[in-house]
Coordinates of all heavy atoms in Angstrom, one line a residue:
Chain B
S500 N -6.0 22.4 -20.5 CA -5.7 21.2 -19.7 C -6.4 19.9 -20.4 O -5.7 18.8 -20.4 CB -6.2 21.4 -18.4 OG -5.5 22.4 -17.7
Q549 N -0.9 21.8 -12.3 CA -0.9 23.1 -12.0 C -0.5 23.5 -10.6 O 0.3 24.3 -10.1 CB -2.4 23.7 -12.2 CG -2.4 25.2 -11.8 CD -3.8 25.8 -12.4 OE1 -4.2 25.3 -13.3 NE2 -4.1 26.8 -11.9
D638 N 1.7 22.0 -17.2 CA 0.4 22.7 -17.1 C 0.5 23.8 -16.0 O 0.6 23.5 -14.9 CB -0.7 21.7 -16.8 CG -2.1 22.2 -17.0 OD1 -2.2 23.5 -17.3 OD2 -3.0 21.4 -17.0
E639 N 0.5 25.1 -16.5 CA 0.5 26.2 -15.6 C 1.6 26.1 -14.6 O 1.2 26.0 -13.4 CB -0.8 26.5 -15.1 CG -1.9 26.4 -16.2 CD -3.1 27.5 -16.1 OE1 -2.9 28.4 -15.2 OE2 -4.0 27.5 -16.9
Ligands
LIG1493 MG1 -6.1 24.0 -16.7

Side-chain angles (χ1 to χ4, degrees):
Chain B
S500 295
Q549 177 165 343
D638 193 349
E639 313 218 10

